[in-house]
Amino acid sequence: MGTFVVNGGKPLSGTLTPQGAKNEALQVICASLLTDESVTIRNIPDIRDVSNLISLLRSMGVEVINPGRGVYTFYARDIDLEYLRSDDFRDKGTSLRGSIMILGPLLARFGKGYVPAPGGDKIGRRRLDTHFIGFQHLGATVTYDHSSSLYTVDAPSLEGAYMLLDEASVTGTANILMCAVLTKGRTTIYNAACEPYIQQLSNMLIRMGAKIEGIGSNLLTVQGVDSLHGCEHSLLPDMIEVGSFIGMAALTRSELTLKQVSIDNLGIIPEQFRRLGIEIRQEQDDLFIPRQEHYEIDTFMDGSIMTIADAPWPGLTPDLLSIFLVVATQAKGSVLIHQKMFESRLFFVDKLIDMGAQIILCDPHRATVIGIDRQYPLRPTTMSSPDIRAGVALLIAALSAEGTSTIHNIEQIDRGYENIEQRLNNIGASITRK
């Protein structure tokens, strides 16, 4: 288990360029399974979850070429479906939640697919019903073997259908969409997720020959085609990393420029940080966060306490609530953080309380943060990263605390952030990996 030793309390200064979007990468890499022609994807981040998915595809028989940094070409010409029943596949698939998204392409192209119950973050229940119910609407049969924890999806033939998703699941929408593009007839997906990454996937599929309407809305209409061809695709910057760096700049009193962030695809994120009192300036496609000694949380118009809650796009992504929470600890004022989706995602706040933060965990989904306006700086401590986003929130807290903090289980952070310690050390941080 890896460890970060962080000497905090030092303002940072400089420029950061966000990596390619992790969540988009997992979707579009799986989409390469839809054709036997070459698919080239650029700006792929070098992070653990993406590397594990690429390794999984290689083991399935996909030829993968890496001609340069962040560039991969995938040739899914010879897929070994029998490998999907092996222990090695179960081991690799279980370690990666994104592995669920190979099912849609495999089902569409080969009429069958297998996937183990996937792993990932320990942030609460993350059910798969939306994926499987969508496949069933298209004519597939889903079975689950409890002894091997393996899902099997069979479909000798698929027919387009109307479906109303029970939740606007991003991975569920991506999986069903990838299946529908090669399904005969017309498929209508209502209550679809419409995040920029789903829009990116949709546009990539269209370049491959798919017919999709309604991109950017929650109503997608797909007219199935017989086959898809290869394409080239480039990932968006990672909006979660952009938000993480905004929060880091505020908490550590740093002056940072974030380059090429694709502002049009950040949605509500910058404005929500402004509601915490954080100054953010837009300079073309860059964001500049000046050094701030103090920042004050806004209130609603009637004077009631500010609430920051996650919601389906274009609402606030749940992946950033951990960052908002830690940033609020040193603000002036109070805020209620409401994490609606996952019942274990806020449980890392006990570590912030140990560091001197004033937080009331109301229930598994809500925490009230009483900002202390830097009157009592966070104290260094020893802690462990429970998941990707909480891990980075704890790293940001450690960077602001004067003294030496230790963070264990940093493999969780590596799942979502590329060379994070090197990039932050380049702008003045002091982080040692052990």
Side-chain angles (χ1 to χ4, degrees), residues 22-23 89 94 103 111 168 230 232-233 238 259 261 320 328 404 424:
K22 172 207 167 193
N23 291 339
F89 172 70
T94 301
L103 266 185
E232 295 190 2
H233 180 77
D238 195 311
K259 301 290 289 184
V261 299
L320 278 176
T404 302
L424 298 186

Side-chain angles (χ1 to χ4, degrees), residues 4-298:
F4 279 152
V5 177
V6 183
N7 294 311
K10 303 174 183 178
L12 312 178
S13 179
T15 299
L16 290 169
T17 301
Q19 66 189 28
K22 172 207 167 193
N23 291 339
E24 180 186 348
L26 298 177
Q27 295 174 25
V28 298
I29 290 171
C30 290
S32 70
L33 295 169
L34 286 164
T35 178
D36 61 3
E37 298 183 15
S38 66
V39 175
T40 298
I41 305 173
R42 294 182 171 83
N43 201 27
I44 291 181
D46 183 12
I47 56 178
R48 186 179 293 264
D49 273 11
V50 171
S51 297
N52 286 347
L53 179 60
I54 292 173
S55 174
L56 180 65
L57 263 61
R58 279 194 171 109
S59 298
M60 291 168 56
V62 178
E63 181 183 356
V64 182
I65 300 173
N66 178 206
R69 185 175 183 272
V71 181
Y72 287 82
T73 297
F74 301 88
Y75 293 89
R77 290 174 291 203
D78 299 304
I79 302 299
D80 181 6
L81 292 179
E82 283 306 306
Y83 168 75
L84 303 180
R85 303 180 67 88
S86 69
D87 291 339
D88 185 67
F89 172 70
R90 279 194 288 273
D91 290 341
K92 288 182 177 179
T94 301
S95 67
L96 174 68
R97 183 162 184 82
S99 64
I100 185 65
M101 286 185 290
I102 69 172
L103 266 185
L106 292 177
L107 187 62
R109 190 169 161 200
F110 302 106
K112 65 171 62 177
Y114 310 93
V115 71
D121 287 325
K122 305 302 182 184
I123 56 177
R125 292 173 297 171
R126 304 180 75 174
R127 59 190 180 85
L128 302 175
D129 300 54
T130 303
H131 302 249
F132 295 130
I133 292 172
F135 296 148
Q136 288 171 334
H137 276 298
L138 298 176
T141 300
V142 181
T143 57
Y144 178 65
D145 183 345
H146 287 275
S147 62
S148 62
S149 298
L150 189 71
Y151 291 95
T152 300
V153 185
D154 284 298
S157 64
L158 293 168
E159 292 282 346
Y162 170 87
M163 63 187 79
L164 173 61
L165 303 188
D166 61 337
E167 63 173 346
S169 164
V170 176
T171 56
T173 299
N175 223 351
I176 296 165
L177 179 63
M178 288 187 284
C179 186
V181 293
L182 290 180
T183 293
K184 183 171 61 177
R186 184 182 181 89
T187 298
T188 302
I189 309 170
Y190 202 11
N191 195 30
C194 54
E195 271 80 354
Y197 306 144
I198 292 290
Q199 298 175 40
Q200 284 281 98
L201 172 65
S202 298
N203 288 322
M204 174 182 168
L205 293 172
I206 287 174
R207 288 196 298 275
M208 296 172 73
K211 297 179 180 179
I212 304 170
E213 297 178 354
I215 297 172
S217 76
N218 68 347
L219 179 61
L220 294 174
T221 304
V222 183
Q223 185 65 44
V225 297
D226 293 333
S227 63
L228 297 179
H229 51 74
C231 74
E232 295 190 2
H233 180 77
S234 185
L235 302 182
L236 288 174
D238 195 311
M239 70 169 79
I240 312 304
E241 193 170 74
V242 172
S244 301
F245 291 155
I246 293 172
M248 179 183 70
L251 196 67
T252 60
R253 302 173 181 164
S254 299
E255 182 174 287
L256 296 181
T257 298
L258 308 182
K259 301 290 289 184
Q260 300 171 6
V261 299
S262 188
I263 288 170
D264 291 344
N265 289 294
L266 293 180
I268 199 174
I269 291 171
E271 190 56 37
Q272 286 292 75
F273 277 108
R274 291 186 179 106
R275 302 201 81 169
L276 291 186
I278 298 168
E279 184 179 354
I280 303 173
R281 302 174 195 166
Q282 179 179 339
E283 299 174 354
Q284 296 182 334
D285 202 33
D286 304 339
L287 294 178
F288 174 69
I289 301 93
R291 176 184 170 96
Q292 286 183 256
E293 289 295 328
H294 302 277
Y295 47 96
E296 184 172 355
I297 300 170
D298 198 1

Side-chain angles (χ1 to χ4, degrees), residues 400-412:
S400 76
E402 293 187 11
T404 302
S405 294
T406 302
I407 306 175
H408 298 298
N409 195 29
I410 59 172
E411 289 81 5
Q412 288 287 349

